[in-house]
Amino acid sequence: MDFLPSLPTLLAFTAATLLLAATPGPDMTLSISRALSQGKGAAMWVVVGTSLGCLVHTLLVAFGISALITASPTAFMILKTGGAAYLFWLAVQAIRYGSTLTVKKENDTGGASPLSNISTGLWVNLLNPKVIIFFMTFLPQFVTAHDPAVTQKLLFLGCFFIVAAMPINIAVILTADWLSGWLQQRKSVLRTIDYVFSGVFSIFAVKILFTQAR
């Protein structure tokens, strides 16, 4: 199977993936926020959406489209402006419809449908130029440019990244969901968390606006 990297490469990639998966970002912030406000079921659907976003970025990197996006100043500006605007919108939503408005959970889905949560997670990743740059710089480190199976290996590594990161995503969601019961009895703490998440989304939005293609 030509698409499989060597064992040392795969082990190194796995270690890097686990480390990066544990690093906070807009996707993790969103899943924690959703777990606290709507339950683990809703947060799991968010992770499905962010994973689909990673899959799209993998395809873009494997077939070279994302390189064209970052090479075009206009396309890159549109992308990062849209991404920042979306994160600012999430920040406003965290304040307007925060965790304190959720008194109880209904089948772990809250008020949002699975499709809505998937869509939110998907767009958080698709509109984040940092994710494009990350996949463009991270995945190619584990392949050889002159490898005839480079495209297949990039596709495999991108899919493996999603699978390997999933246990950490699930652990984060379950921990947040476990804490939500305790937090529901402390509305002032929950409201503070809403403002924290709003601030974090805003910070990520500002950072995206200052992201450079090179």
Side-chain angles (χ1 to χ4, degrees):
M1 293 182 285
D2 293 338
F3 65 88
L4 289 176
S6 65
L7 182 58
T9 299
L10 187 59
L11 291 176
F13 182 80
T14 302
T17 295
L18 295 177
L19 180 62
L20 290 166
T23 302
D27 48 356
M28 180 183 289
T29 303
L30 178 62
S31 63
I32 294 175
S33 174
R34 205 54 57 94
L36 290 175
S37 62
Q38 298 178 19
K40 59 181 180 292
M44 293 293 186
W45 287 119
V46 167
V47 170
V48 171
T50 56
S51 297
L52 288 175
C54 290
L55 179 60
V56 171
H57 286 304
T58 297
L59 294 172
L60 291 175
V61 169
F63 295 103
I65 299 176
S66 58
L68 297 178
I69 294 177
T70 56
S72 169
T74 301
F76 190 76
M77 177 62 70
I78 293 173
L79 176 68
K80 72 176 186 178
T81 301
Y86 190 66
L87 287 178
F88 274 128
W89 179 80
L90 290 177
V92 173
Q93 295 296 97
I95 297 298
R96 293 184 62 194
Y97 309 107
S99 302
T100 54
L101 299 182
T102 303
V103 178
K104 64 179 180 178
K105 302 172 188 174
E106 298 178 1
N107 298 324
D108 283 334
T109 59
S113 66
L115 184 59
S116 174
N117 284 316
I118 291 174
S119 176
T120 301
L122 174 65
W123 285 108
V124 161
N125 265 2
L126 288 185
L127 292 176
N128 188 349
K130 283 181 174 290
V131 179
I132 289 183
I133 295 173
F134 162 74
F135 272 85
M136 284 187 64
T137 58
F138 180 67
L139 293 184
Q141 294 182 43
F142 298 90
V143 297
T144 303
H146 302 292
D147 190 332
V150 62
T151 300
Q152 295 92 316
K153 286 183 177 178
L154 285 172
L155 291 173
F156 172 81
L157 289 173
C159 293
F160 185 81
F161 176 90
I162 297 171
V163 174
M166 192 62 67
I168 291 181
N169 292 329
I170 293 175
V172 169
I173 289 172
L174 293 179
T175 301
D177 181 73
W178 176 67
L179 288 174
S180 65
W182 179 83
L183 290 171
Q184 286 291 341
Q185 306 303 317
R186 295 159 177 82
K187 297 298 184 180
S188 60
V189 176
L190 264 179
R191 196 55 179 160
T192 300
I193 291 176
D194 291 334
Y195 279 98
V196 169
F197 280 135
S198 178
V200 170
F201 279 129
S202 299
I203 291 172
F204 281 129
V206 172
K207 290 179 67 176
I208 282 177
L209 285 176
F210 287 97
T211 298
Q212 301 297 318
R214 299 178 182 83

